[in-house]
Amino acid sequence: MVNETKVKWMTKAAMVKKKEERGMFITSRFYGDDYVSFQVIKAVLGVSFGFVLVVALWFMEALLTACSVEELFLILKSMWILYLMLVLATILISVLVYTSRFWRARDHAREYTSSLKKIQKIYQKEEKNGKADRK
């Protein structure tokens, strides 16, 4: 005989696991601040690497067009300001995105754990009833 309640909870747990498996289990290993900080550092390093590549290519092009040294320093100063603004924007956006991802994944993990606990209670109840029926 199929226990409909058990099937319902098992289906719900499987759906939550399937939907959020990667994020749910990754974030469960971190505290919120640690997860967000790690993701922000990764984002800033990626933006910095990309920015350095773009500036290096631009600098090589500027050298080939023979800009004066004063012009190069003025342009590099404005590039530095642009870089700082880009990094600050990256940090702000990363904090917002990864904080929301962390809390959403944590909620899904709690929902999954709750479903598993309810399934376990159903199994314990069935086992208890099964032992009572055998006596």
mmCIF file with all atom_site columns, all heavy atoms in Angstrom, residues 13-14 16-30 35 102 105-106 108-110 112-113 116:
data_model
loop_
_atom_site.group_PDB
_atom_site.id
_atom_site.type_symbol
_atom_site.label_atom_id
_atom_site.label_alt_id
_atom_site.label_comp_id
_atom_site.label_asym_id
_atom_site.label_entity_id
_atom_site.label_seq_id
_atom_site.pdbx_PDB_ins_code
_atom_site.Cartn_x
_atom_site.Cartn_y
_atom_site.Cartn_z
_atom_site.occupancy
_atom_site.B_iso_or_equiv
_atom_site.pdbx_formal_charge
_atom_site.auth_seq_id
_atom_site.auth_comp_id
_atom_site.auth_asym_id
_atom_site.auth_atom_id
_atom_site.pdbx_PDB_model_num
ATOM 1   N N   . ALA A 1 13  ? 10.900 16.852 -1.680  1.00 0.00 ? 13  ALA A N   1
ATOM 2   C CA  . ALA A 1 13  ? 12.330 16.851 -1.373  1.00 0.00 ? 13  ALA A CA  1
ATOM 3   C C   . ALA A 1 13  ? 13.154 16.657 -2.637  1.00 0.00 ? 13  ALA A C   1
ATOM 4   O O   . ALA A 1 13  ? 14.171 17.321 -2.840  1.00 0.00 ? 13  ALA A O   1
ATOM 5   C CB  . ALA A 1 13  ? 12.649 15.760 -0.352  1.00 0.00 ? 13  ALA A CB  1
ATOM 6   N N   . ALA A 1 14  ? 12.717 15.761 -3.504  1.00 0.00 ? 14  ALA A N   1
ATOM 7   C CA  . ALA A 1 14  ? 13.449 15.509 -4.749  1.00 0.00 ? 14  ALA A CA  1
ATOM 8   C C   . ALA A 1 14  ? 13.423 16.732 -5.661  1.00 0.00 ? 14  ALA A C   1
ATOM 9   O O   . ALA A 1 14  ? 14.427 17.047 -6.312  1.00 0.00 ? 14  ALA A O   1
ATOM 10  C CB  . ALA A 1 14  ? 12.859 14.308 -5.466  1.00 0.00 ? 14  ALA A CB  1
ATOM 11  N N   . VAL A 1 16  ? 13.142 19.928 -4.716  1.00 0.00 ? 16  VAL A N   1
ATOM 12  C CA  . VAL A 1 16  ? 14.017 20.954 -4.141  1.00 0.00 ? 16  VAL A CA  1
ATOM 13  C C   . VAL A 1 16  ? 15.469 20.605 -4.411  1.00 0.00 ? 16  VAL A C   1
ATOM 14  O O   . VAL A 1 16  ? 16.269 21.461 -4.803  1.00 0.00 ? 16  VAL A O   1
ATOM 15  C CB  . VAL A 1 16  ? 13.762 21.112 -2.625  1.00 0.00 ? 16  VAL A CB  1
ATOM 16  C CG1 . VAL A 1 16  ? 14.822 21.961 -1.971  1.00 0.00 ? 16  VAL A CG1 1
ATOM 17  C CG2 . VAL A 1 16  ? 12.385 21.688 -2.375  1.00 0.00 ? 16  VAL A CG2 1
ATOM 18  N N   . LYS A 1 17  ? 15.818 19.329 -4.222  1.00 0.00 ? 17  LYS A N   1
ATOM 19  C CA  . LYS A 1 17  ? 17.198 18.903 -4.446  1.00 0.00 ? 17  LYS A CA  1
ATOM 20  C C   . LYS A 1 17  ? 17.591 19.086 -5.907  1.00 0.00 ? 17  LYS A C   1
ATOM 21  O O   . LYS A 1 17  ? 18.678 19.561 -6.208  1.00 0.00 ? 17  LYS A O   1
ATOM 22  C CB  . LYS A 1 17  ? 17.375 17.450 -4.035  1.00 0.00 ? 17  LYS A CB  1
ATOM 23  C CG  . LYS A 1 17  ? 18.802 16.972 -4.159  1.00 0.00 ? 17  LYS A CG  1
ATOM 24  C CD  . LYS A 1 17  ? 18.956 15.540 -3.700  1.00 0.00 ? 17  LYS A CD  1
ATOM 25  C CE  . LYS A 1 17  ? 20.401 15.098 -3.872  1.00 0.00 ? 17  LYS A CE  1
ATOM 26  N NZ  . LYS A 1 17  ? 20.589 13.711 -3.528  1.00 0.00 ? 17  LYS A NZ  1
ATOM 27  N N   . LYS A 1 18  ? 16.729 18.717 -6.811  1.00 0.00 ? 18  LYS A N   1
ATOM 28  C CA  . LYS A 1 18  ? 17.017 18.829 -8.239  1.00 0.00 ? 18  LYS A CA  1
ATOM 29  C C   . LYS A 1 18  ? 17.181 20.292 -8.650  1.00 0.00 ? 18  LYS A C   1
ATOM 30  O O   . LYS A 1 18  ? 18.079 20.635 -9.410  1.00 0.00 ? 18  LYS A O   1
ATOM 31  C CB  . LYS A 1 18  ? 15.882 18.177 -9.041  1.00 0.00 ? 18  LYS A CB  1
ATOM 32  C CG  . LYS A 1 18  ? 16.011 18.266 -10.512 1.00 0.00 ? 18  LYS A CG  1
ATOM 33  C CD  . LYS A 1 18  ? 16.940 17.216 -11.022 1.00 0.00 ? 18  LYS A CD  1
ATOM 34  C CE  . LYS A 1 18  ? 16.859 17.196 -12.547 1.00 0.00 ? 18  LYS A CE  1
ATOM 35  N NZ  . LYS A 1 18  ? 17.988 16.548 -13.113 1.00 0.00 ? 18  LYS A NZ  1
ATOM 36  N N   . LYS A 1 19  ? 16.321 21.146 -8.124  1.00 0.00 ? 19  LYS A N   1
ATOM 37  C CA  . LYS A 1 19  ? 16.308 22.548 -8.508  1.00 0.00 ? 19  LYS A CA  1
ATOM 38  C C   . LYS A 1 19  ? 17.515 23.311 -7.972  1.00 0.00 ? 19  LYS A C   1
ATOM 39  O O   . LYS A 1 19  ? 18.115 24.113 -8.673  1.00 0.00 ? 19  LYS A O   1
ATOM 40  C CB  . LYS A 1 19  ? 15.015 23.190 -8.005  1.00 0.00 ? 19  LYS A CB  1
ATOM 41  C CG  . LYS A 1 19  ? 14.854 24.635 -8.352  1.00 0.00 ? 19  LYS A CG  1
ATOM 42  C CD  . LYS A 1 19  ? 13.516 25.141 -7.839  1.00 0.00 ? 19  LYS A CD  1
ATOM 43  C CE  . LYS A 1 19  ? 13.421 26.637 -7.930  1.00 0.00 ? 19  LYS A CE  1
ATOM 44  N NZ  . LYS A 1 19  ? 12.228 27.141 -7.271  1.00 0.00 ? 19  LYS A NZ  1
ATOM 45  N N   . GLU A 1 20  ? 17.875 23.082 -6.736  1.00 0.00 ? 20  GLU A N   1
ATOM 46  C CA  . GLU A 1 20  ? 18.905 23.883 -6.081  1.00 0.00 ? 20  GLU A CA  1
ATOM 47  C C   . GLU A 1 20  ? 20.073 23.067 -5.558  1.00 0.00 ? 20  GLU A C   1
ATOM 48  O O   . GLU A 1 20  ? 20.745 23.479 -4.622  1.00 0.00 ? 20  GLU A O   1
ATOM 49  C CB  . GLU A 1 20  ? 18.282 24.645 -4.903  1.00 0.00 ? 20  GLU A CB  1
ATOM 50  C CG  . GLU A 1 20  ? 17.422 25.791 -5.298  1.00 0.00 ? 20  GLU A CG  1
ATOM 51  C CD  . GLU A 1 20  ? 18.209 26.937 -5.897  1.00 0.00 ? 20  GLU A CD  1
ATOM 52  O OE1 . GLU A 1 20  ? 19.363 27.163 -5.501  1.00 0.00 ? 20  GLU A OE1 1
ATOM 53  O OE2 . GLU A 1 20  ? 17.667 27.593 -6.788  1.00 0.00 ? 20  GLU A OE2 1
ATOM 54  N N   . GLU A 1 21  ? 20.330 21.926 -6.146  1.00 0.00 ? 21  GLU A N   1
ATOM 55  C CA  . GLU A 1 21  ? 21.321 21.019 -5.582  1.00 0.00 ? 21  GLU A CA  1
ATOM 56  C C   . GLU A 1 21  ? 22.691 21.673 -5.434  1.00 0.00 ? 21  GLU A C   1
ATOM 57  O O   . GLU A 1 21  ? 23.282 21.661 -4.367  1.00 0.00 ? 21  GLU A O   1
ATOM 58  C CB  . GLU A 1 21  ? 21.430 19.768 -6.453  1.00 0.00 ? 21  GLU A CB  1
ATOM 59  C CG  . GLU A 1 21  ? 22.370 18.739 -5.890  1.00 0.00 ? 21  GLU A CG  1
ATOM 60  C CD  . GLU A 1 21  ? 22.291 17.434 -6.652  1.00 0.00 ? 21  GLU A CD  1
ATOM 61  O OE1 . GLU A 1 21  ? 21.759 17.405 -7.772  1.00 0.00 ? 21  GLU A OE1 1
ATOM 62  O OE2 . GLU A 1 21  ? 22.778 16.451 -6.115  1.00 0.00 ? 21  GLU A OE2 1
ATOM 63  N N   . ARG A 1 22  ? 23.199 22.249 -6.496  1.00 0.00 ? 22  ARG A N   1
ATOM 64  C CA  . ARG A 1 22  ? 24.557 22.781 -6.461  1.00 0.00 ? 22  ARG A CA  1
ATOM 65  C C   . ARG A 1 22  ? 24.676 23.933 -5.470  1.00 0.00 ? 22  ARG A C   1
ATOM 66  O O   . ARG A 1 22  ? 25.520 23.932 -4.591  1.00 0.00 ? 22  ARG A O   1
ATOM 67  C CB  . ARG A 1 22  ? 24.982 23.230 -7.848  1.00 0.00 ? 22  ARG A CB  1
ATOM 68  C CG  . ARG A 1 22  ? 26.385 23.722 -7.898  1.00 0.00 ? 22  ARG A CG  1
ATOM 69  C CD  . ARG A 1 22  ? 26.854 23.927 -9.328  1.00 0.00 ? 22  ARG A CD  1
ATOM 70  N NE  . ARG A 1 22  ? 28.211 24.367 -9.333  1.00 0.00 ? 22  ARG A NE  1
ATOM 71  C CZ  . ARG A 1 22  ? 28.586 25.587 -9.656  1.00 0.00 ? 22  ARG A CZ  1
ATOM 72  N NH1 . ARG A 1 22  ? 27.697 26.472 -10.035 1.00 0.00 ? 22  ARG A NH1 1
ATOM 73  N NH2 . ARG A 1 22  ? 29.855 25.924 -9.625  1.00 0.00 ? 22  ARG A NH2 1
ATOM 74  N N   . GLY A 1 23  ? 23.820 24.929 -5.610  1.00 0.00 ? 23  GLY A N   1
ATOM 75  C CA  . GLY A 1 23  ? 23.889 26.091 -4.737  1.00 0.00 ? 23  GLY A CA  1
ATOM 76  C C   . GLY A 1 23  ? 23.599 25.767 -3.295  1.00 0.00 ? 23  GLY A C   1
ATOM 77  O O   . GLY A 1 23  ? 24.236 26.282 -2.385  1.00 0.00 ? 23  GLY A O   1
ATOM 78  N N   . MET A 1 24  ? 22.637 24.879 -3.083  1.00 0.00 ? 24  MET A N   1
ATOM 79  C CA  . MET A 1 24  ? 22.215 24.531 -1.738  1.00 0.00 ? 24  MET A CA  1
ATOM 80  C C   . MET A 1 24  ? 23.347 23.863 -0.966  1.00 0.00 ? 24  MET A C   1
ATOM 81  O O   . MET A 1 24  ? 23.588 24.175 0.190   1.00 0.00 ? 24  MET A O   1
ATOM 82  C CB  . MET A 1 24  ? 20.997 23.605 -1.835  1.00 0.00 ? 24  MET A CB  1
ATOM 83  C CG  . MET A 1 24  ? 20.373 23.228 -0.546  1.00 0.00 ? 24  MET A CG  1
ATOM 84  S SD  . MET A 1 24  ? 18.802 22.369 -0.782  1.00 0.00 ? 24  MET A SD  1
ATOM 85  C CE  . MET A 1 24  ? 19.238 20.947 -1.741  1.00 0.00 ? 24  MET A CE  1
ATOM 86  N N   . PHE A 1 25  ? 24.052 22.953 -1.600  1.00 0.00 ? 25  PHE A N   1
ATOM 87  C CA  . PHE A 1 25  ? 25.084 22.217 -0.889  1.00 0.00 ? 25  PHE A CA  1
ATOM 88  C C   . PHE A 1 25  ? 26.394 22.991 -0.810  1.00 0.00 ? 25  PHE A C   1
ATOM 89  O O   . PHE A 1 25  ? 27.160 22.823 0.130   1.00 0.00 ? 25  PHE A O   1
ATOM 90  C CB  . PHE A 1 25  ? 25.287 20.849 -1.517  1.00 0.00 ? 25  PHE A CB  1
ATOM 91  C CG  . PHE A 1 25  ? 24.084 19.960 -1.345  1.00 0.00 ? 25  PHE A CG  1
ATOM 92  C CD1 . PHE A 1 25  ? 23.378 19.500 -2.437  1.00 0.00 ? 25  PHE A CD1 1
ATOM 93  C CD2 . PHE A 1 25  ? 23.634 19.615 -0.089  1.00 0.00 ? 25  PHE A CD2 1
ATOM 94  C CE1 . PHE A 1 25  ? 22.259 18.704 -2.278  1.00 0.00 ? 25  PHE A CE1 1
ATOM 95  C CE2 . PHE A 1 25  ? 22.519 18.825 0.090   1.00 0.00 ? 25  PHE A CE2 1
ATOM 96  C CZ  . PHE A 1 25  ? 21.826 18.369 -1.012  1.00 0.00 ? 25  PHE A CZ  1
ATOM 97  N N   . ILE A 1 26  ? 26.651 23.860 -1.767  1.00 0.00 ? 26  ILE A N   1
ATOM 98  C CA  . ILE A 1 26  ? 27.861 24.674 -1.696  1.00 0.00 ? 26  ILE A CA  1
ATOM 99  C C   . ILE A 1 26  ? 27.730 25.711 -0.589  1.00 0.00 ? 26  ILE A C   1
ATOM 100 O O   . ILE A 1 26  ? 28.641 25.890 0.214   1.00 0.00 ? 26  ILE A O   1
ATOM 101 C CB  . ILE A 1 26  ? 28.142 25.354 -3.055  1.00 0.00 ? 26  ILE A CB  1
ATOM 102 C CG1 . ILE A 1 26  ? 28.618 24.309 -4.062  1.00 0.00 ? 26  ILE A CG1 1
ATOM 103 C CG2 . ILE A 1 26  ? 29.182 26.455 -2.913  1.00 0.00 ? 26  ILE A CG2 1
ATOM 104 C CD1 . ILE A 1 26  ? 28.798 24.839 -5.460  1.00 0.00 ? 26  ILE A CD1 1
ATOM 105 N N   . THR A 1 27  ? 26.607 26.392 -0.545  1.00 0.00 ? 27  THR A N   1
ATOM 106 C CA  . THR A 1 27  ? 26.446 27.439 0.456   1.00 0.00 ? 27  THR A CA  1
ATOM 107 C C   . THR A 1 27  ? 26.303 26.876 1.864   1.00 0.00 ? 27  THR A C   1
ATOM 108 O O   . THR A 1 27  ? 26.582 27.575 2.828   1.00 0.00 ? 27  THR A O   1
ATOM 109 C CB  . THR A 1 27  ? 25.226 28.330 0.152   1.00 0.00 ? 27  THR A CB  1
ATOM 110 O OG1 . THR A 1 27  ? 24.070 27.510 0.057   1.00 0.00 ? 27  THR A OG1 1
ATOM 111 C CG2 . THR A 1 27  ? 25.423 29.098 -1.128  1.00 0.00 ? 27  THR A CG2 1
ATOM 112 N N   . SER A 1 28  ? 25.884 25.634 1.991   1.00 0.00 ? 28  SER A N   1
ATOM 113 C CA  . SER A 1 28  ? 25.731 25.068 3.337   1.00 0.00 ? 28  SER A CA  1
ATOM 114 C C   . SER A 1 28  ? 27.082 24.838 4.009   1.00 0.00 ? 28  SER A C   1
ATOM 115 O O   . SER A 1 28  ? 27.138 24.656 5.213   1.00 0.00 ? 28  SER A O   1
ATOM 116 C CB  . SER A 1 28  ? 24.941 23.766 3.279   1.00 0.00 ? 28  SER A CB  1
ATOM 117 O OG  . SER A 1 28  ? 25.667 22.776 2.584   1.00 0.00 ? 28  SER A OG  1
ATOM 118 N N   . ARG A 1 29  ? 28.167 24.887 3.237   1.00 0.00 ? 29  ARG A N   1
ATOM 119 C CA  . ARG A 1 29  ? 29.498 24.708 3.815   1.00 0.00 ? 29  ARG A CA  1
ATOM 120 C C   . ARG A 1 29  ? 30.114 26.020 4.280   1.00 0.00 ? 29  ARG A C   1
ATOM 121 O O   . ARG A 1 29  ? 31.190 26.023 4.852   1.00 0.00 ? 29  ARG A O   1
ATOM 122 C CB  . ARG A 1 29  ? 30.426 24.062 2.793   1.00 0.00 ? 29  ARG A CB  1
ATOM 123 C CG  . ARG A 1 29  ? 30.073 22.618 2.521   1.00 0.00 ? 29  ARG A CG  1
ATOM 124 C CD  . ARG A 1 29  ? 31.072 22.002 1.602   1.00 0.00 ? 29  ARG A CD  1
ATOM 125 N NE  . ARG A 1 29  ? 30.640 22.279 0.235   1.00 0.00 ? 29  ARG A NE  1
ATOM 126 C CZ  . ARG A 1 29  ? 31.406 22.181 -0.832  1.00 0.00 ? 29  ARG A CZ  1
ATOM 127 N NH1 . ARG A 1 29  ? 32.642 21.836 -0.712  1.00 0.00 ? 29  ARG A NH1 1
ATOM 128 N NH2 . ARG A 1 29  ? 30.931 22.446 -2.026  1.00 0.00 ? 29  ARG A NH2 1
ATOM 129 N N   . PHE A 1 30  ? 29.474 27.143 4.007   1.00 0.00 ? 30  PHE A N   1
ATOM 130 C CA  . PHE A 1 30  ? 30.027 28.452 4.328   1.00 0.00 ? 30  PHE A CA  1
ATOM 131 C C   . PHE A 1 30  ? 29.106 29.211 5.266   1.00 0.00 ? 30  PHE A C   1
ATOM 132 O O   . PHE A 1 30  ? 27.905 29.006 5.267   1.00 0.00 ? 30  PHE A O   1
ATOM 133 C CB  . PHE A 1 30  ? 30.162 29.312 3.055   1.00 0.00 ? 30  PHE A CB  1
ATOM 134 C CG  . PHE A 1 30  ? 31.197 28.854 2.081   1.00 0.00 ? 30  PHE A CG  1
ATOM 135 C CD1 . PHE A 1 30  ? 30.838 28.103 0.972   1.00 0.00 ? 30  PHE A CD1 1
ATOM 136 C CD2 . PHE A 1 30  ? 32.517 29.188 2.252   1.00 0.00 ? 30  PHE A CD2 1
ATOM 137 C CE1 . PHE A 1 30  ? 31.779 27.688 0.058   1.00 0.00 ? 30  PHE A CE1 1
ATOM 138 C CE2 . PHE A 1 30  ? 33.472 28.789 1.342   1.00 0.00 ? 30  PHE A CE2 1
ATOM 139 C CZ  . PHE A 1 30  ? 33.103 28.032 0.245   1.00 0.00 ? 30  PHE A CZ  1
ATOM 140 N N   . TYR A 1 35  ? 30.994 33.202 2.331   1.00 0.00 ? 35  TYR A N   1
ATOM 141 C CA  . TYR A 1 35  ? 30.575 32.886 0.966   1.00 0.00 ? 35  TYR A CA  1
ATOM 142 C C   . TYR A 1 35  ? 30.554 34.142 0.104   1.00 0.00 ? 35  TYR A C   1
ATOM 143 O O   . TYR A 1 35  ? 31.108 34.165 -1.002  1.00 0.00 ? 35  TYR A O   1
ATOM 144 C CB  . TYR A 1 35  ? 29.190 32.236 0.979   1.00 0.00 ? 35  TYR A CB  1
ATOM 145 C CG  . TYR A 1 35  ? 28.620 31.993 -0.395  1.00 0.00 ? 35  TYR A CG  1
ATOM 146 C CD1 . TYR A 1 35  ? 29.072 30.945 -1.178  1.00 0.00 ? 35  TYR A CD1 1
ATOM 147 C CD2 . TYR A 1 35  ? 27.641 32.827 -0.919  1.00 0.00 ? 35  TYR A CD2 1
ATOM 148 C CE1 . TYR A 1 35  ? 28.567 30.725 -2.443  1.00 0.00 ? 35  TYR A CE1 1
ATOM 149 C CE2 . TYR A 1 35  ? 27.130 32.617 -2.175  1.00 0.00 ? 35  TYR A CE2 1
ATOM 150 C CZ  . TYR A 1 35  ? 27.590 31.564 -2.938  1.00 0.00 ? 35  TYR A CZ  1
ATOM 151 O OH  . TYR A 1 35  ? 27.087 31.368 -4.196  1.00 0.00 ? 35  TYR A OH  1
ATOM 152 N N   . PHE A 1 102 ? 22.938 33.358 -1.617  1.00 0.00 ? 102 PHE A N   1
ATOM 153 C CA  . PHE A 1 102 ? 23.226 32.603 -0.404  1.00 0.00 ? 102 PHE A CA  1
ATOM 154 C C   . PHE A 1 102 ? 21.958 32.359 0.401   1.00 0.00 ? 102 PHE A C   1
ATOM 155 O O   . PHE A 1 102 ? 21.672 31.230 0.809   1.00 0.00 ? 102 PHE A O   1
ATOM 156 C CB  . PHE A 1 102 ? 24.259 33.338 0.457   1.00 0.00 ? 102 PHE A CB  1
ATOM 157 C CG  . PHE A 1 102 ? 24.531 32.638 1.758   1.00 0.00 ? 102 PHE A CG  1
ATOM 158 C CD1 . PHE A 1 102 ? 25.398 31.567 1.804   1.00 0.00 ? 102 PHE A CD1 1
ATOM 159 C CD2 . PHE A 1 102 ? 23.899 33.040 2.925   1.00 0.00 ? 102 PHE A CD2 1
ATOM 160 C CE1 . PHE A 1 102 ? 25.639 30.904 2.996   1.00 0.00 ? 102 PHE A CE1 1
ATOM 161 C CE2 . PHE A 1 102 ? 24.141 32.386 4.116   1.00 0.00 ? 102 PHE A CE2 1
ATOM 162 C CZ  . PHE A 1 102 ? 25.011 31.319 4.152   1.00 0.00 ? 102 PHE A CZ  1
ATOM 163 N N   . ALA A 1 105 ? 19.560 29.955 -1.372  1.00 0.00 ? 105 ALA A N   1
ATOM 164 C CA  . ALA A 1 105 ? 20.035 28.574 -1.270  1.00 0.00 ? 105 ALA A CA  1
ATOM 165 C C   . ALA A 1 105 ? 19.870 28.045 0.150   1.00 0.00 ? 105 ALA A C   1
ATOM 166 O O   . ALA A 1 105 ? 19.526 26.877 0.350   1.00 0.00 ? 105 ALA A O   1
ATOM 167 C CB  . ALA A 1 105 ? 21.497 28.486 -1.692  1.00 0.00 ? 105 ALA A CB  1
ATOM 168 N N   . ARG A 1 106 ? 20.088 28.899 1.136   1.00 0.00 ? 106 ARG A N   1
ATOM 169 C CA  . ARG A 1 106 ? 19.919 28.475 2.530   1.00 0.00 ? 106 ARG A CA  1
ATOM 170 C C   . ARG A 1 106 ? 18.456 28.140 2.819   1.00 0.00 ? 106 ARG A C   1
ATOM 171 O O   . ARG A 1 106 ? 18.157 27.163 3.513   1.00 0.00 ? 106 ARG A O   1
ATOM 172 C CB  . ARG A 1 106 ? 20.405 29.567 3.461   1.00 0.00 ? 106 ARG A CB  1
ATOM 173 C CG  . ARG A 1 106 ? 20.353 29.145 4.905   1.00 0.00 ? 106 ARG A CG  1
ATOM 174 C CD  . ARG A 1 106 ? 21.074 30.112 5.735   1.00 0.00 ? 106 ARG A CD  1
ATOM 175 N NE  . ARG A 1 106 ? 22.000 29.324 6.532   1.00 0.00 ? 106 ARG A NE  1
ATOM 176 C CZ  . ARG A 1 106 ? 22.921 29.804 7.285   1.00 0.00 ? 106 ARG A CZ  1
ATOM 177 N NH1 . ARG A 1 106 ? 23.125 31.085 7.319   1.00 0.00 ? 106 ARG A NH1 1
ATOM 178 N NH2 . ARG A 1 106 ? 23.673 29.026 8.013   1.00 0.00 ? 106 ARG A NH2 1
ATOM 179 N N   . HIS A 1 108 ? 16.300 27.054 0.626   1.00 0.00 ? 108 HIS A N   1
ATOM 180 C CA  . HIS A 1 108 ? 16.035 25.777 -0.043  1.00 0.00 ? 108 HIS A CA  1
ATOM 181 C C   . HIS A 1 108 ? 16.623 24.611 0.753   1.00 0.00 ? 108 HIS A C   1
ATOM 182 O O   . HIS A 1 108 ? 16.018 23.534 0.817   1.00 0.00 ? 108 HIS A O   1
ATOM 183 C CB  . HIS A 1 108 ? 16.590 25.780 -1.464  1.00 0.00 ? 108 HIS A CB  1
ATOM 184 C CG  . HIS A 1 108 ? 15.788 26.616 -2.406  1.00 0.00 ? 108 HIS A CG  1
ATOM 185 N ND1 . HIS A 1 108 ? 14.518 26.288 -2.816  1.00 0.00 ? 108 HIS A ND1 1
ATOM 186 C CD2 . HIS A 1 108 ? 16.075 27.792 -3.017  1.00 0.00 ? 108 HIS A CD2 1
ATOM 187 C CE1 . HIS A 1 108 ? 14.061 27.210 -3.637  1.00 0.00 ? 108 HIS A CE1 1
ATOM 188 N NE2 . HIS A 1 108 ? 14.984 28.144 -3.770  1.00 0.00 ? 108 HIS A NE2 1
ATOM 189 N N   . ALA A 1 109 ? 17.793 24.819 1.342   1.00 0.00 ? 109 ALA A N   1
ATOM 190 C CA  . ALA A 1 109 ? 18.402 23.763 2.155   1.00 0.00 ? 109 ALA A CA  1
ATOM 191 C C   . ALA A 1 109 ? 17.539 23.454 3.380   1.00 0.00 ? 109 ALA A C   1
ATOM 192 O O   . ALA A 1 109 ? 17.359 22.286 3.745   1.00 0.00 ? 109 ALA A O   1
ATOM 193 C CB  . ALA A 1 109 ? 19.810 24.173 2.583   1.00 0.00 ? 109 ALA A CB  1
ATOM 194 N N   . ARG A 1 110 ? 17.003 24.491 3.987   1.00 0.00 ? 110 ARG A N   1
ATOM 195 C CA  . ARG A 1 110 ? 16.118 24.279 5.147   1.00 0.00 ? 110 ARG A CA  1
ATOM 196 C C   . ARG A 1 110 ? 14.840 23.557 4.740   1.00 0.00 ? 110 ARG A C   1
ATOM 197 O O   . ARG A 1 110 ? 14.353 22.681 5.445   1.00 0.00 ? 110 ARG A O   1
ATOM 198 C CB  . ARG A 1 110 ? 15.792 25.606 5.804   1.00 0.00 ? 110 ARG A CB  1
ATOM 199 C CG  . ARG A 1 110 ? 16.943 26.159 6.593   1.00 0.00 ? 110 ARG A CG  1
ATOM 200 C CD  . ARG A 1 110 ? 16.579 27.419 7.317   1.00 0.00 ? 110 ARG A CD  1
ATOM 201 N NE  . ARG A 1 110 ? 17.730 27.856 8.102   1.00 0.00 ? 110 ARG A NE  1
ATOM 202 C CZ  . ARG A 1 110 ? 17.955 29.111 8.428   1.00 0.00 ? 110 ARG A CZ  1
ATOM 203 N NH1 . ARG A 1 110 ? 17.105 30.040 8.063   1.00 0.00 ? 110 ARG A NH1 1
ATOM 204 N NH2 . ARG A 1 110 ? 19.020 29.430 9.125   1.00 0.00 ? 110 ARG A NH2 1
ATOM 205 N N   . TYR A 1 112 ? 14.539 21.517 2.222   1.00 0.00 ? 112 TYR A N   1
ATOM 206 C CA  . TYR A 1 112 ? 14.941 20.141 1.925   1.00 0.00 ? 112 TYR A CA  1
ATOM 207 C C   . TYR A 1 112 ? 15.106 19.333 3.215   1.00 0.00 ? 112 TYR A C   1
ATOM 208 O O   . TYR A 1 112 ? 14.613 18.211 3.327   1.00 0.00 ? 112 TYR A O   1
ATOM 209 C CB  . TYR A 1 112 ? 16.236 20.162 1.124   1.00 0.00 ? 112 TYR A CB  1
ATOM 210 C CG  . TYR A 1 112 ? 16.775 18.810 0.750   1.00 0.00 ? 112 TYR A CG  1
ATOM 211 C CD1 . TYR A 1 112 ? 16.119 18.015 -0.183  1.00 0.00 ? 112 TYR A CD1 1
ATOM 212 C CD2 . TYR A 1 112 ? 17.953 18.321 1.309   1.00 0.00 ? 112 TYR A CD2 1
ATOM 213 C CE1 . TYR A 1 112 ? 16.609 16.772 -0.542  1.00 0.00 ? 112 TYR A CE1 1
ATOM 214 C CE2 . TYR A 1 112 ? 18.451 17.085 0.955   1.00 0.00 ? 112 TYR A CE2 1
ATOM 215 C CZ  . TYR A 1 112 ? 17.778 16.323 0.031   1.00 0.00 ? 112 TYR A CZ  1
ATOM 216 O OH  . TYR A 1 112 ? 18.267 15.084 -0.326  1.00 0.00 ? 112 TYR A OH  1
ATOM 217 N N   . THR A 1 113 ? 15.776 19.922 4.197   1.00 0.00 ? 113 THR A N   1
ATOM 218 C CA  . THR A 1 113 ? 15.978 19.248 5.480   1.00 0.00 ? 113 THR A CA  1
ATOM 219 C C   . THR A 1 113 ? 14.648 18.989 6.178   1.00 0.00 ? 113 THR A C   1
ATOM 220 O O   . THR A 1 113 ? 14.440 17.918 6.747   1.00 0.00 ? 113 THR A O   1
ATOM 221 C CB  . THR A 1 113 ? 16.889 20.100 6.385   1.00 0.00 ? 113 THR A CB  1
ATOM 222 O OG1 . THR A 1 113 ? 18.121 20.340 5.703   1.00 0.00 ? 113 THR A OG1 1
ATOM 223 C CG2 . THR A 1 113 ? 17.172 19.400 7.698   1.00 0.00 ? 113 THR A CG2 1
ATOM 224 N N   . LEU A 1 116 ? 12.993 16.050 4.551   1.00 0.00 ? 116 LEU A N   1
ATOM 225 C CA  . LEU A 1 116 ? 13.636 14.792 4.956   1.00 0.00 ? 116 LEU A CA  1
ATOM 226 C C   . LEU A 1 116 ? 13.235 14.387 6.372   1.00 0.00 ? 116 LEU A C   1
ATOM 227 O O   . LEU A 1 116 ? 13.019 13.198 6.647   1.00 0.00 ? 116 LEU A O   1
ATOM 228 C CB  . LEU A 1 116 ? 15.151 14.910 4.844   1.00 0.00 ? 116 LEU A CB  1
ATOM 229 C CG  . LEU A 1 116 ? 15.725 15.033 3.433   1.00 0.00 ? 116 LEU A CG  1
ATOM 230 C CD1 . LEU A 1 116 ? 17.246 15.151 3.487   1.00 0.00 ? 116 LEU A CD1 1
ATOM 231 C CD2 . LEU A 1 116 ? 15.320 13.852 2.559   1.00 0.00 ? 116 LEU A CD2 1
#
